[in-house]
Amino acid sequence: MLTIATVGRRFPSGTEALRDASLRLQTGDFVALLGPSGCGKSTLLRLIAGLDQPDSGTITWDAGHKPQPGEIGYVFQDATLLPWATTEENVFLPLRLRGLTRTQAQRDIAAVLARVGLTGFESARPQQLSGGMRMRVSIARALVTKPKLLLMDEPFAALDEFTRHKLQADLLALWRDLGCTVVFVTHSIYEAAFLARRIVLMTPRPGRIAREIQSSLAPSPETRLDPAYATLVADISKAMEAALA
Amino acid sequence: MILRLAPWFFGLLALFAWEGAVRGLDVPAYIVPAPSSVFQAFVADPLGLAVSLASTLTVTFAALLVAAILGASMAIGMATSRFAQAAIQPWAVALQVTPLPAIAPLIIIWVGDPFTSLVVCATIVAFFPLFANTATGLASPPPELADLFQLYGAGRFRTLTLLRLPAAVPYFLSGLRISGGLALVGAVVAELVAGSGGFASGLAYRILEASYRLEMPRMFAALVLLALAGIAINYGLGAFGDWVTRRRGNA
């Protein structure tokens, strides 16, 4: 889908957020960017989205493709919904910015809300919803344009563990059904091991990619009870410790 | 319930104590009038005082309207252009820190027309909270939301109309509430400075007139009316803000 080649980013403050990062994204991938705070994983995500430009290196889409608005979905750590808008209006936003009317968008909105389990909450405002439901709205908003690439920046980090497990399982099901490519930033080894097919380990100061671990676990909720899952978590922990040492 | 009645009860108690003290100590009315004589002074000429109140309130609301339009549009101008922000901000602060009584005489001379000059004075006082609050509100959306608008290819105009302006509404409304009280203060100060050379019909002029004539009860009656008007403006604008907020659903 796209190739990240020796990308570096230094902020005006002088912090070197990212050095020499190279990564190839295949269509249908589920990649986790895993590492402690300050390892440049969010910076890399923003660069992929085109919200920021690298100081060195290149990010090239395959076949010279230029991503159009709506081809990339982005989910932040906070749900970042418009507080004055209903669930439906919040999910409508990306389509509205592309010039669609509410009537034209209605079917897509209803479909995506059903997909994330929010049917019946169309006219609720964000502050009437729980943290987990707000995140569902945020995911629906990212999915409503049927993106090819879904970028997620620690989306479940602020949720309680039970809600997090539920949303992780739902995200896996979504990824299987929709077949879109996901890049998922996290600082949780467990989350990375449960969700991703490819786990990219990153280290801080300067942020760089240390190594990559492949997962052969089945993308299903039962994986959590699979001994192979525990083994993968242990492998990642060891590799992360070695990379940070 | 008892907490709601408490301020009324306390106020009533204070009025009785005041009345009792004035009568008991035989204080002359030209120093401190008893509440009963203040009430009598009001009943003696309710229409005159009401007309004066209406005049002051007209200035107040005209100034509030002008300040709201000016403050909001300048804040929007600043939000859309960094150059405008650099150009406007220091002058807005300069306007804010200049005491009105110091510049009111100049304005009254320059503007000429008494009504307009009073409105200009009150606008200067009421402008800043509206301007500053709206500017804060326009800048309030988290950077992630701005990123999201950028990601979906929204230009400055759509980011303004769909994100920044709606986000600024609650800030603007609380600015309006603050400025409502300030506009009244500005109107009264301007009337006091203008004195008989001005409009000669506002409540502040009634206060000046009564003090020249040592009509303390009438002066107090005008003061009470001003205080009540201030409270009404404050609560009225607060209720207006709540109403708008409820209608938008983010109470």
Side-chain angles (χ1 to χ4, degrees), chain A residues 46 76 80 84 96 125 141, chain B residues 145 147-148 158 166 248:
Chain A
R46 287 176 55 84
F76 302 91
T80 57
W84 55 85
R96 184 172 187 186
R125 314 259 172 187
R141 179 179 64 187
Chain B
L145 267 172
D147 281 347
L148 201 78
R158 306 217 79 184
R248 300 170 85 223

Side-chain angles (χ1 to χ4, degrees), chain A residues 115-223:
Chain A
R115 193 62 195 76
V116 298
L118 281 174
T119 306
F121 294 95
E122 288 85 353
S123 40
R125 314 259 172 187
Q127 82 276 10
Q128 296 168 300
L129 300 172
S130 67
M133 302 254 272
R134 281 204 287 271
M135 189 45 74
R136 284 174 190 277
V137 179
S138 194
I139 292 172
R141 179 179 64 187
L143 291 178
V144 76
T145 57
K146 304 190 178 74
K148 292 180 175 150
L149 178 59
L150 180 60
L151 305 174
M152 308 183 88
D153 193 354
E154 302 188 15
F156 308 146
L159 302 176
D160 69 78
E161 186 143 18
F162 305 99
T163 311
R164 182 157 60 232
H165 279 195
K166 181 83 180 75
L167 278 164
Q168 285 167 348
D170 290 353
L171 176 64
L172 267 187
L174 271 174
W175 171 68
R176 263 188 342 226
D177 295 355
L178 303 177
C180 69
T181 313
V182 182
V183 181
F184 190 102
V185 164
T186 177
H187 54 227
S188 159
I189 292 171
Y190 301 94
E191 186 165 64
F194 177 70
L195 289 173
R197 304 301 100 199
R198 299 167 59 195
I199 297 114
V200 174
L201 307 190
M202 297 184 70
T203 54
R205 278 176 292 278
R208 57 205 317 178
I209 292 177
R211 61 172 289 196
E212 183 177 327
I213 293 174
Q214 306 280 337
S215 158
S216 50
L217 297 177
S220 93
E222 285 77 48
T223 298

Side-chain angles (χ1 to χ4, degrees), chain B residues 12-24 27 32-35 38 220 224:
Chain B
L12 220 61
L13 199 73
L15 276 182
F16 273 110
W18 178 359
E19 182 84 35
V22 168
R23 285 182 186 217
V27 183
V32 181
V38 173
F220 267 72
V224 170

